[in-house]
Amino acid sequence: MSPVPLNDLPLNALPGNALSGNALSGNASARAKAAALVLVADDDPVIRKLLESWLRQDGYRVVVATNGAECLSCFRQEQPDLVLLDALMPELNGFDCCQALLRQAGLPVPVLIITGLEDQDSIDRAFAAGAMDYITKPIRWPVLRHRLRLLVEQARQQALMREEHQQLKTLAMTDMLTNLANRRCFDLELGKEWRRAARERCIISLVMIDIDSFKPYNDNYGHPQGDRALQQVAQALRENIHRPGDLTARYGGEEFAIVLPGTPRRGATYVAERIRQAVWRLQIPHLFGRQRGGVLLRDRVTISAGVSSILPQGEFTQGAILDLADRALYQAKTAGGNQIAWLGKSEASGAD
Amino acid sequence: MEPLIDRAQLLESLEAMGGEPAEALALILDLYSEDAPQLLGAIVQGAAAADFEQLRFAAHSLKSSSATLGAHRLAQLCQQMEHQAHRREAHNLSALAQQLQAAYQATWAAFRDPALL
């Protein structure tokens, strides 16, 4: 099997809440280069036409809606950068429309309300509905030009910052070699899942995985080859962990860890064994591994796994499950490697 | 009294549309003439029936597009009507509606005057 290039590895092993989406190639920067799309909603055909022509001349792309309801469906379909809303439209007025579309947008989209009513009440209503600014009719075009430019720039700046923030968040939680969750992410998630399991009186399992004889592998094949082996093993892990709540992480060096919430001994050892077999089938050549009586035991890269299952209760802390899994891993190693071992506590886990 | 047409405001709006001002005016008057007569009808009818909601909305709409095209006298009368409807004052409604109708006709004639631009 050829090494899997890093960029092709999906981020699917990372927990959804912190790291969802394609955060490493966002679209805010791509969007910042295109002409801004403005959605104009006004029931008055004269003003609609004026706004549309003027906006196009000023380099904007434009979509128009003739009333509030149309504006909402347009907004969903077109995802404009900015919305120009007439305050007084039949059926759904501009204020209510503004509120509704900001609610469905999720992200802050700049809305500018155009009002013929220059009274305090309308202005208050516009801002209360979430509008970023307002202008009055008759429209002063030079003023509108500046306001639009500022609003669009500001919105794009914010979108870029949100995207960068998301990217940094992802990077901070990702192991760059394997694209699995990193140690930091693992620690946070294990803590979270442990507390959840304690709250819900639910069993939790942990699998610690170690590549057998990895030091001689690196020494003999070189670190670049070692990195490729790590990536292949990571991919095997990824292909065998499917449940959304499970977390696969690179724990350090040649060690990996899998958190399996709500999974008892039988399920966890099954997962570990499936992974051991998957790595075996990778057939990554390794002629410098363990020997017995001067004879090479295995001709390929293998893993050992320590599995622990605990029902979190008063006397156990989060460290207990790590400690047990680590001891189980040690047992698997000392018994010859390329195997799994289990240790657990509490009646529900079918303990030792 | 407000001027019938504020040329500066009209030209500013036409300029916003780009192209030849005369062409822009023809296009925008087309749009204006689609809506304005209906709004005017709604005002006259609303005044006769003292339907304040209808009055307020129609007067407001006609005010906006008229003001944008610099038709200040008409816009000003619309605003008066809008405020009166807002305060639900039945007094003098039909007289005001008639004034508005006259102002609309004068405005329309002025818009069609070849010497306007």
Side-chain angles (χ1 to χ4, degrees), chain B residues 9-114:
Chain B
Q9 171 65 45
L10 175 62
L11 283 173
E12 193 184 316
S13 287
L14 294 180
E15 211 175 285
M17 285 189 67
E20 278 295 307
E23 277 173 36
L25 180 64
L27 178 61
I28 216 74
L29 284 184
D30 254 9
L31 293 169
Y32 186 72
S33 67
E34 264 174 38
D35 245 29
Q38 282 177 37
L39 291 173
L40 193 68
I43 290 171
V44 171
Q45 198 198 6
D51 182 341
F52 294 113
E53 267 314 295
Q54 176 177 330
L55 255 183
R56 191 180 164 205
F57 194 86
H60 176 83
S61 294
L62 188 58
K63 180 190 76 175
S64 294
S65 48
S66 302
T68 302
L69 297 183
H72 281 341
R73 191 182 301 170
L74 181 57
Q76 204 261 328
L77 286 168
C78 286
Q79 180 164 16
Q80 220 174 305
M81 182 63 99
E82 190 186 349
H83 284 172
Q84 200 167 325
H86 184 56
R87 292 193 303 266
R88 309 184 76 79
E89 268 178 33
H91 179 65
N92 263 347
L93 270 187
S94 46
L96 187 54
Q98 265 168 25
Q99 249 181 301
L100 225 149
Q101 221 168 352
Y104 174 76
Q105 256 122 37
T107 302
W108 184 245
F111 274 142
R112 304 303 300 266
D113 184 348

Side-chain angles (χ1 to χ4, degrees), chain A residues 73 102 191 196 204 233 262:
Chain A
S73 68
L102 286 177
R196 190 206 308 274
I204 178 169
V233 170

Side-chain angles (χ1 to χ4, degrees), chain A residues 121-137:
Chain A
D121 184 46
S122 307
I123 295 166
D124 288 346
R125 279 181 78 189
F127 286 112
M132 286 212 178
D133 209 344
Y134 76 98
I135 54 165
T136 53
K137 291 181 195 172

